[in-house]
Each structure stands twice: as C-alpha cells, then as structure tokens.
C-alpha cells in the first residue's frame, strides 16, 4: 500500500489546489513518456516521471471545465482513467472538475444509524420522465411521505450513451453526464439531506464495462490470475496492484468526502478476487474509519454478497472485513418460492415456507447445509450478527430485470399477494428495501437495456440476451436491449399513483411503513426477540416479535383458502394493528379489531394480519 498519498483529498487525476493550479497525477507504468493535451487549444505539457509508475504535472493553464486528454509515448489521445467528467462520450476528452466548488449547506445533517434505514432502490434514468438527478429531486417529498429514510441509487459511473443499468460503467470517478454530472449529484444529495433522507450509492468494484475501457493501455489494472463473469478480474493482488487498490480506495473516499454520500452499496463483492494478507474490503473499512474520525460524519458500507460468509460483515476486531450490512437474496428466494412454487434455476434450492421461516430466524437459509444447486455444503451460521446487517426485499433490479420480460410482482401475482409480500418484508427483523414503483403496483416492466455506441458490441449484447433466454421461446422474443423503446417501456408511470387500485396499494405501503416505525417490536431489530413457526400444509406462517412490553404477532396465509391458526397463549387478547384483507386496502373482508387467544383465528387467503398486545 502506498503510504505517501494524501487521503484528505483525491490524489489521482486532476485536482485544483488553493492557488488555483491544476495538480495532475496519472498512473501509467507502461508508458515511457506521458503528455497532457489541452484539447481546447491543442497545447501539450510533459508530465514528470515519479515513483511507482506515476506521472506528475502542476500547471495553471488547465482550468475547471477545460477538456483534456493524455498522450502516452506520443501515440493516440486517451481520456483520463480517473476522469471526473466525460461530457462528450466514454471515448472523448475528459473534463477538469473542481469538486470543492459546490456550496454545501447540509451541515446540520446527521446520517441515520443503519437500523434507521428504510431503503428505496431506484434507477435514475427510468425513475422519472426526465431521467435525471433533477427529476429525482421532484419526487423527494413523495418518498418522504411514503416513509422512506434512504434512497439507493443504481450506479452512476459514466457509461456509453444514455441508457444503461449502470453496471457497464468505465469511469468510476465520473458521474454520468446525461443524469446531470457531478454537480447534479451533489445538488441532489444536498437536497436529500435537507429533507432528512440519506443517500446510498451503488458502486461497481468487481469489473469495468467493455466500451470505453482504455485502462489496460495505462497500466496493469487487470489480472489474468482470475476470471469473473465479465472477463479478467481487476488486479487487487497481482504485480502492480498497489496503485489499483489505491485507485478504488480513493473512489470510496471521494463519494463520502466530496459528494457527502451516506453509504455505498458495493456490487457483487464475491467477484472481487483478492488473496492479499489484507483484503481490499478490510482496507477500505479502515480508510473510511479514518475519514469519519477526521470529518465527524458517519458512513456505511453495504455489500451485495453471494457467499453466506459472515467474515464480510464481521467487525475488524473479530478479523472480519468490517462491512456494515449485506443484501440477502436467500430471503427473496424463499419468499418467491413460497408465493409461486416456481423452483427453476437458483430457486431449486428453496423449499418455500419452511425456508422462509428459517430466513426470518437465521438470515441465511444455507448456513452449513448441502446445496443441491451448488452441489456442495454452503454457508455459515449468523448467531452473532444483528438484524441491521441484513437487507431484505421482495423485488430489486436484478430479480425483476434479469427475467426475460422484466415482469414485476404486479404482473406475476394477485393484488392480495402483493400486499402479503410487502408485509412479509416490512415485518422482518432486518432492513427492508423497496424497488421503485412497487409501492403503487407499477405494471411497467424493468427490462435490461444498454446504449452501446460500438455496433459490434451492441449486436453481441443483443445476441447474448436472446441466447440466454432461448429456452423460453414459448414466451416470445427477449426484448432488444439496444432498442430505445425497451428503455422507455421501463419508465415508471407516475399518473397511476392517484388511480385505483394503485392508490390503495400506496396507502397500504404507507400504513405498513408507519406501523413498522410506530411499534417498538417491529422497529427494534433484535433477532433474539423472535419466534417463528410455519405449516407447510396450510402455507401459513406466524412471526412473533417483541421489545420490552410490546409484543407483535404477524400472521401470514400464502394459500388460496381461508386458514385457521391458533395464537400463542402468552397474551389473552390481541388487537389488530393492520390487516391486508380489510376493504380499506381493497381487500375482501373486514378483519375483527381484536381476537381472543383461546380460539383459532381465521386468515383470509393471501393475506397478512398484524396484531399487537397494545391498542
């Protein structure tokens, strides 16, 4: 690890010092010479070679917003790997940006502890008609009224064209120009904080996109030691890896320091290949701890993880990597099999309601069990990990968008089942996350879309998508990911929010979220204060949670028939807090306001009823 770099500011790419000079730092160990080209006047400036493969230059000629490129060994002009802006394209000139120029006024904002996060995942391009950060700003009051405390923005690193999920980004430091660029993101975060909403940013540290990826021309950013689903792995532990590790650590620090981002969600960290004595994630955590000590601000690190390995979320002092929380796909999979019975693909490992019961209790379903899908024993137990370390959901961008037709739950399940699925997530002793539009039963799909400008690459993606779903030909053709119509079809329809039955679903979500915040037994994520049981024959599940003198019973019926369920006898009387079957939410029947534990309770089909021991 390079110890001479100043982590108090971004020390790669172009930065502006107090005197207004541009300090240029480029890592290009493959180059024998390196020049800075100011493309506005075609002047070139020779960089001075320094240690570890770095090249340095300080000049007063490069100003904020000026376009520039690098020329290695007198050959072709290349954008800056640490570019902060690519206003033309991923192939064009970089633009110098002064990140310190933004006038922040969020000094009174204090980030929530993770247990206070109620997440809402959104895609900037399809969330609003504008498809911009400014468009998101117009919906913040709506999200606040819904009860959301944190928005999670899918990746914004510059990608080719204007349409992409964000996982094909090729400039990790540059904010997508069509969304509003760096200043647009800073403005959004500042406004979110003024409205008491935290901002989580999805970042990709396991691969770089294919188009506009010039990193290999500068240095050893990739290694052939490992492969990922997207090609060669990023070089985190091979020769020349120090600078690559520093590059990504600096990226983390930039989002927190210069954009005031509250938390990062790191994509598929199981694809980060690192056998160093100190794993990259552990080093990131240490650097973030140092930054927090210097700034007094709190930041969280969230990972997407497909390993069921608590080492990732265990604290540093317990030899863990120190990540604060992780997504739990297994809760989603168990819930979906319970709801639909579909056991194709990776769903084949899940036994429906029996595994949903286990997910409520243990977070990981596979915690040392043999996995038939993986054909090996998989996972580890989570006894010592608190509830706020696990994020659960009934939908997310992957689970919707990786379907051939991108169907949301609204197109797959009944209105009553959608309410039950929402309730099953929001009563869990974990952090809940919604996917944009689910709260009002958005019917539009969320499809896979790209806008590669390289015709050969675009055609390869198109053919690859068709081949992936060749077995599903009876359902029709996979939508063309390159066609702009595919992108437009994925946009939310905000005019539906005030129309039935969408308005009823929205009211139900608001009531659920409000109840979660109101009842201490639901709000406090103590996994030890929980009992859960299920019946595979009746497809019913009873979740019992408590905190101090508040007790809550959550009764779920996933079947299509009325089912009888016996309540526990630790309380004589239980009072209805919320019932999805009530006509208030377009349900079929009023559920009694209170029940006596001495007699069985009738549960409406595809419904959830939440009882409390207090009126």
């Amino acid at each position: 690890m390079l110890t001479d770099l100043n982590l108090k500011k971004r020390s790669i790419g172009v930065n502006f010092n107090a005197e207004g000079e541009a300090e240029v730092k480029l890592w290009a160990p493959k180059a024998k010479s390196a020049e800075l080209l100011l493309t506005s006047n075609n002047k070139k400036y020779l960089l001075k070679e320094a240690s570890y493969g770095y090249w340095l230059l300080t000049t007063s000629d490069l100003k904020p917003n000026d376009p520039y490129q690098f020329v290695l060994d007198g050959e072709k002009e290349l954008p800056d790997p640490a570019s902060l802006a690519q206003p033309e394209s991923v192939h064009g000139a970089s633009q110098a940006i002064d990140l310190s120029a933004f006038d922040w006024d969020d000094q009174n904002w204090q980030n929530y502890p993770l247990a206070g996060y109620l997440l809402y995942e959104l895609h900037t391009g399809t969330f609003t008609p504008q498809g911009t950060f400014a468009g998101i700003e117009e919906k913040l009051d709506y999200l606040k009224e819904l009860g959301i405390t944190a928005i999670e923005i899918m990746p914004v690193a510059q990608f080719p064209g204007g349409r992409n999920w964000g996982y094909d980004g090729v400039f990790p430091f540059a904010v997508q120009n069509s969304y509003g660029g760096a200043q647009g993101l800073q403005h959004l975060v500042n406004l979110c904080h003024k409205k008491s909403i935290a901002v989580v940013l999805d970042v990709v540290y396991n691969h770089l996109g294919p188009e506009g990826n010039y990193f290999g021309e500068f240095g050893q950013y990739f290694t052939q030691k490992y492969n990922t689903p997207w090609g060669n792995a990023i070089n985190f532990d091979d020769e020349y890896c120090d600078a690559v590790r520093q590059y990504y650590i600096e990226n983390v620090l930039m989002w927190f320091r210069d954009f005031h981002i509250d938390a990062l969600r790191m994509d598929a960290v199981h694809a980060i290949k690192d056998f160093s004595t100190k794993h990259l994630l552990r080093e990131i955590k240490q650097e973030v701890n140092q930054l927090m000590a210097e700034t007094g601000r709190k930041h969280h690190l969230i990972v997407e993880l497909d390993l069921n390995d608590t080492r990732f979320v265990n604290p540093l002092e317990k030899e863990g990597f120190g990540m604060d929380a992780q997504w739990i796909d297994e809760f989603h999979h168990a819930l979906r099999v319970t709801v639909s019975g579909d056991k194709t693909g990776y769903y084949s490992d899940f036994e429906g309601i029996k595994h949903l019961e286990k997910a409520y209790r243990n977070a990981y379903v596979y915690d040392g069990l043999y996995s038939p899908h993986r054909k090996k024993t998989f996972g580890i137990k989570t006894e010592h990990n608190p509830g706020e370390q696990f994020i659960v959901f009934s939908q997310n961008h992957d689970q919707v968008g990786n379907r051939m037709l991108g169907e949301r739950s609204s197109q797959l399940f009944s209105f009553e089942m959608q309410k039950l699925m929402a309730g099953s997530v929001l009563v869990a002793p974990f952090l809940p996350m919604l996917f944009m539009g689910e709260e009002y039963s958005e019917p539009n799909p969320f499809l896979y879309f790209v806008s590669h400008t390289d015709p050969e690459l675009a055609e390869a993606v198109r053919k690859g998508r068709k081949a992936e779903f060749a077995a599903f030909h009876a359902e029709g053709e996979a939508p063309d990911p390159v066609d702009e119509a595919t992108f437009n079809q994925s946009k939310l329809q905000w005019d539906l929010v005030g129309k039935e039955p969408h308005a009823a679903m929205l009211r139900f979500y608001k009531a659920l979220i409000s109840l979660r915040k109101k009842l201490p037994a639901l709000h406090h994520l103590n996994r030890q204060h929980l009992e859960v049981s299920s019946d595979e024959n009746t497809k019913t599940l009873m979740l019992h949670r408590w905190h101090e003198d508040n007790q809550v019973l959550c009764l779920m019926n996933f079947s299509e028939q009325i089912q009888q369920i016996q309540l526990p006898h630790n309380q004589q009387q239980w009072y209805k807090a919320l019932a999805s079957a009530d006509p208030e939410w377009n349900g079929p029947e009023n559920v009694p306001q209170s029940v006596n534990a001495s007699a069985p309770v009738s549960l409406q089909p595809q419904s959830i009823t939440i009882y409390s021991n207090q009126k």
Side-chain angles (χ1 to χ4, degrees):
M1 194 62 247
L2 304 182
T3 58
D4 59 337
L5 297 180
N6 180 7
L7 294 182
K8 293 183 179 179
K9 66 175 183 177
R10 202 177 71 115
S11 63
I12 52 178
V14 174
N15 297 278
F16 293 94
N17 61 28
E19 289 72 38
E21 297 173 311
E23 296 178 342
V24 183
K25 190 167 191 175
L26 171 69
W27 186 63
K30 290 185 175 181
K32 296 177 181 176
S33 69
E35 294 173 294
L36 173 75
L37 169 64
L38 298 187
T39 56
S40 57
N41 56 25
N42 283 328
K43 286 188 176 179
K44 289 185 180 180
Y45 301 81
L46 191 64
L47 277 69
K48 182 180 178 182
E49 189 172 7
S51 57
Y52 303 110
Y54 285 94
W55 297 83
L56 308 176
L57 171 70
T58 299
T59 176
S60 57
D61 289 346
L62 180 60
K63 303 293 185 185
N65 301 320
D66 281 353
Y68 71 97
Q69 289 172 296
F70 289 114
V71 181
L72 304 182
D73 299 332
E75 297 181 357
K76 64 181 179 180
E77 300 163 6
L78 298 169
D80 183 357
S83 169
L84 291 172
Q86 291 296 124
E88 297 173 12
S89 74
V90 295
H91 304 287
S94 301
Q95 184 181 42
I97 297 287
D98 185 1
L99 292 178
S100 65
F102 186 80
D103 187 18
W104 294 95
D105 62 354
D106 64 347
Q107 292 80 10
N108 294 327
W109 162 253
Q110 289 188 345
N111 191 10
Y112 299 110
L114 259 183
Y117 271 36
L118 202 154
L119 294 144
Y120 186 97
E121 186 188 23
L122 61 88
H123 177 269
T124 303
T126 56
F127 181 59
T128 65
Q130 304 96 310
T132 61
F133 299 134
I136 297 173
E137 290 180 1
E138 294 182 9
K139 298 299 182 184
L140 293 181
D141 289 339
Y142 163 89
L143 294 173
K144 190 168 178 62
E145 185 181 347
L146 175 60
I148 297 302
T149 61
I151 60 172
E152 180 172 312
I153 305 172
M154 289 173 65
V156 301
Q158 185 74 39
F159 51 75
R163 306 184 304 276
N164 200 291
W165 278 16
Y167 301 96
D168 287 324
V170 285
F171 290 93
F173 288 85
V175 179
Q176 177 67 19
N177 62 316
S178 61
Y179 290 169
Q183 189 172 36
L185 180 57
Q186 288 175 320
H187 193 276
L188 170 61
V189 174
N190 192 58
L191 186 58
C192 283
H193 289 170
K194 292 170 77 171
K195 294 181 180 293
S196 300
I197 297 174
V199 181
V200 183
L201 183 64
D202 196 342
V203 293
V204 183
Y205 296 154
N206 53 52
H207 76 286
L208 288 159
E211 184 178 354
N213 184 345
Y214 299 104
F215 284 65
E217 301 198 36
F218 289 91
Q220 295 79 356
Y221 280 90
F222 305 99
T223 175
Q224 295 183 354
K225 284 173 62 176
Y226 318 109
N227 284 311
T228 74
W230 313 283
N232 286 344
I234 293 175
N235 177 19
F236 291 124
D237 67 359
D238 206 353
E239 294 178 346
Y240 295 97
C241 69
D242 285 353
V244 181
R245 294 171 70 92
Q246 187 66 46
Y247 178 94
Y248 283 95
I249 290 170
E250 292 254 8
N251 189 258
V252 171
L253 298 175
M254 179 194 72
W255 296 122
F256 289 155
R257 180 191 58 236
D258 302 324
F259 288 85
H260 292 200
I261 295 294
D262 298 292
L264 294 181
R265 179 268 190 189
M266 290 184 260
D267 180 65
V269 296
H270 48 271
I272 292 176
K273 310 295 185 180
D274 182 12
F275 283 91
S276 304
T277 52
K278 183 189 293 184
H279 192 278
L280 176 72
L281 295 180
R282 183 176 173 87
E283 189 163 5
I284 285 174
K285 178 64 171 179
Q286 290 174 332
E287 297 287 0
V288 170
N289 285 347
Q290 179 182 329
L291 178 70
M292 292 191 296
E294 293 172 358
T295 65
R297 299 194 200 107
K298 179 67 177 175
H299 304 287
H300 305 301
L301 295 168
I302 300 168
V303 294
E304 179 191 25
L305 178 65
D306 189 34
L307 293 179
N308 287 15
D309 185 351
T310 55
R311 175 179 48 168
F312 283 77
V313 293
N314 283 343
L316 299 179
E317 57 270 22
K318 292 187 177 179
E319 301 306 314
F321 296 164
M323 300 296 99
D324 298 298
Q326 69 161 105
W327 279 24
I328 292 292
D329 280 343
E330 289 196 334
F331 180 95
H332 168 272
H333 299 345
L335 175 61
R336 286 296 291 261
V337 173
T338 300
V339 168
S340 69
D342 177 18
K343 296 186 67 174
T344 58
Y346 48 67
Y347 291 140
S348 64
D349 260 354
F350 293 88
E351 300 298 331
I353 202 161
K354 180 175 72 174
H355 278 172
L356 181 59
E357 173 190 335
K358 185 171 184 181
Y360 277 118
R361 184 184 296 112
N362 297 338
Y364 296 161
V365 173
Y366 282 85
D367 55 0
L369 304 181
Y370 181 81
S371 161
H373 179 69
R374 293 180 175 86
K375 297 178 175 57
K376 66 175 183 177
T377 301
F378 183 71
I380 194 171
K381 295 190 181 298
T382 62
E383 299 103 325
H384 305 297
N385 299 93
E388 60 263 31
Q389 288 203 304
F390 304 104
I391 296 171
V392 295
F393 36 80
S394 67
Q395 302 179 72
N396 65 34
H397 74 272
D398 269 332
Q399 305 303 336
V400 176
N402 284 334
R403 298 179 61 86
M404 185 180 81
L405 300 178
E407 308 102 320
R408 297 164 171 270
S409 296
S410 62
Q411 299 305 103
L412 298 171
F413 309 116
S414 71
F415 193 80
E416 296 306 305
M417 186 63 86
Q418 291 173 60
K419 289 185 288 181
L420 171 53
M421 293 171 74
S424 68
V425 169
L426 284 159
V427 300
F430 310 118
L431 296 186
M433 186 180 76
L434 313 184
F435 181 56
M436 61 175 192
E438 75 165 79
E439 74 279 5
Y440 65 86
S441 191
E442 168 63 59
N444 265 1
F446 183 70
L447 296 160
Y448 178 69
F449 45 81
V450 296
S451 54
H452 291 306
T453 59
D454 180 337
E456 291 185 9
L457 182 59
E459 183 59 24
V461 170
R462 185 183 288 116
K463 288 181 177 178
R465 190 71 174 173
K466 286 185 178 181
E468 181 180 356
F469 294 105
F472 296 86
H473 60 86
E475 299 180 27
E477 285 286 324
D480 181 357
V482 185
D483 190 339
E484 188 173 357
T486 302
F487 168 75
N488 290 330
Q489 192 181 354
S490 302
K491 282 182 174 280
L492 298 189
Q493 303 174 84
W494 286 99
D495 60 313
L496 297 180
V497 169
K499 300 176 182 179
E500 295 297 346
H502 307 283
M505 185 66 79
L506 180 59
R507 293 194 305 272
F508 180 70
Y509 266 83
K510 287 180 179 178
L512 256 178
I513 291 170
S514 176
L515 189 67
R516 179 183 171 93
K517 293 179 179 180
K518 174 185 173 184
L519 293 178
L522 294 182
H523 182 68
H524 291 271
L525 305 181
N526 188 336
R527 293 178 55 213
Q528 309 309 313
H529 291 181
L530 174 146
E531 293 174 343
V532 59
S533 60
S534 64
D535 187 321
E536 292 183 83
N537 293 322
T538 60
K539 291 188 71 176
T540 57
L541 184 145
M542 179 165 60
L543 177 67
H544 179 202
R545 296 180 58 194
W546 61 92
H547 179 76
E548 295 178 349
D549 59 349
N550 179 226
Q551 298 197 42
V552 170
L553 278 182
C554 308
L555 308 182
M556 306 177 209
N557 178 7
F558 291 92
S559 78
E560 296 181 1
Q561 293 82 37
I562 294 176
Q563 301 290 354
Q564 304 294 316
I565 190 167
Q566 182 63 55
L567 304 185
H569 292 282
N570 60 321
Q571 293 288 323
Q572 185 62 28
Q573 199 77 11
W574 293 94
Y575 302 94
K576 180 178 70 173
L578 189 70
S580 66
D582 281 347
E584 182 179 3
W585 325 114
N586 282 16
E589 182 175 288
N590 267 314
V591 174
Q593 292 296 319
S594 64
V595 292
N596 192 297
S598 60
V601 171
S602 294
L603 288 181
Q604 289 294 317
Q606 300 182 355
S607 73
I608 179 171
T609 303
I610 303 171
Y611 292 105
S612 174
N613 66 333
Q614 302 167 347
K615 285 187 178 180

